[in-house]
Amino acid sequence: SKSNTVYETAEGMTPIDIFATSSDNSRFKLMSMALLLDDPNDAIIWRGPRKMSMIQRLLTGVKWGELDYLIIDTPPGTSDEHITVMTVLKQHEHAKDFLRAILVTTPQMLSINDVRREITFCQKTSFHIIGLIENMSGYVCPHCSECTNIFAQGGGNLLAEQYSIPFLGRLPIDNRLNTILDQGIQQVDNGLELINETEAMKLFKTILDQILDHWE
């Protein structure tokens, strides 16, 4: 992005454009609480009502324009944030029929149990689940590309089977991908091309195809 500045307009806050040389050819827009902080190192120490008010503002007070998809990244668990997101979106007639959830777990039992509660949350609130992804599923060696299971294995798949949820796939820890992301894609020569060559991105594309097929 050329600018990480968020502006307040009569139509709402302006999200920043990413992977673009100008706002005219931007296909991806981003809004985050981090963009509204004076100091990126500041901690947000807010009680529930103020936090819920900001979530509502990020959903309804941003000048998104015409979108194909709005992706909301939430913290783990089933907290006030999730309830607020669900409540605000279900109030909008054009959005409530298109709400979908993609659940992400890691192989450890602690994470599996968290996601189990998230599944129950989605079921009780009639929130349709597209599927489940197991992240950090092994480690891809940067030298030989062999994937080693450093945590438990198969927990995500078994959980999906237990609740009859589509299992979308496993994403390993890929050091090559992490290195590029830590440096910043646009700060690395041919960053996007290098990312597309990583084992993790190849697997991610198969997951993305399944998600997009869901909408067809």
Side-chain angles (χ1 to χ4, degrees), residues 46-56 80-81 84:
W46 288 356
R47 292 187 180 274
R50 189 178 181 188
K51 185 168 53 176
M52 300 309 106
S53 176
M54 175 53 70
I55 292 174
Q56 182 165 1
D80 288 346
E81 287 88 344
T84 301

Side-chain angles (χ1 to χ4, degrees), residues 149-165:
N149 293 302
I150 56 177
F151 299 124
Q153 182 183 13
N157 196 3
L158 292 174
L159 183 63
E161 289 181 3
Q162 180 182 354
Y163 287 90
S164 300
I165 297 170

Side-chain angles (χ1 to χ4, degrees), residues 8-121:
E8 188 76 59
T9 71
E11 297 173 297
M13 296 183 291
T14 58
I16 66 170
D17 300 308
I18 58 177
F19 305 135
T21 55
S22 73
S23 59
D24 296 330
N25 67 359
S26 171
R27 296 182 57 197
F28 300 94
K29 298 179 182 297
L30 172 70
M31 175 57 74
S32 169
M33 186 64 207
L35 299 172
L36 305 178
L37 299 176
D38 293 330
D39 184 342
N41 295 318
D42 283 346
I44 303 173
I45 307 173
W46 288 356
R47 292 187 180 274
R50 189 178 181 188
K51 185 168 53 176
M52 300 309 106
S53 176
M54 175 53 70
I55 292 174
Q56 182 165 1
R57 187 182 178 204
L58 290 173
L59 289 174
T60 62
V62 174
K63 184 181 175 183
W64 288 113
E66 186 174 345
L67 295 175
D68 295 316
Y69 304 97
L70 176 64
I71 302 172
I72 303 171
D73 182 22
T74 64
T78 53
S79 60
D80 288 346
E81 287 88 344
H82 302 82
I83 297 173
T84 301
V85 167
M86 178 200 65
T87 302
V88 172
L89 291 180
K90 284 194 172 184
Q91 291 173 348
H92 293 267
E93 291 295 325
H94 65 283
K96 68 179 184 180
D97 294 331
F98 300 97
L99 301 180
R100 300 291 186 269
I102 300 171
L103 303 182
V104 181
T105 186
T106 56
Q108 298 95 317
M109 189 53 63
L110 181 63
S111 178
I112 294 291
N113 288 335
D114 268 347
V115 174
R116 195 185 306 275
R117 288 186 282 269
E118 291 167 4
I119 293 172
T120 304
F121 174 87

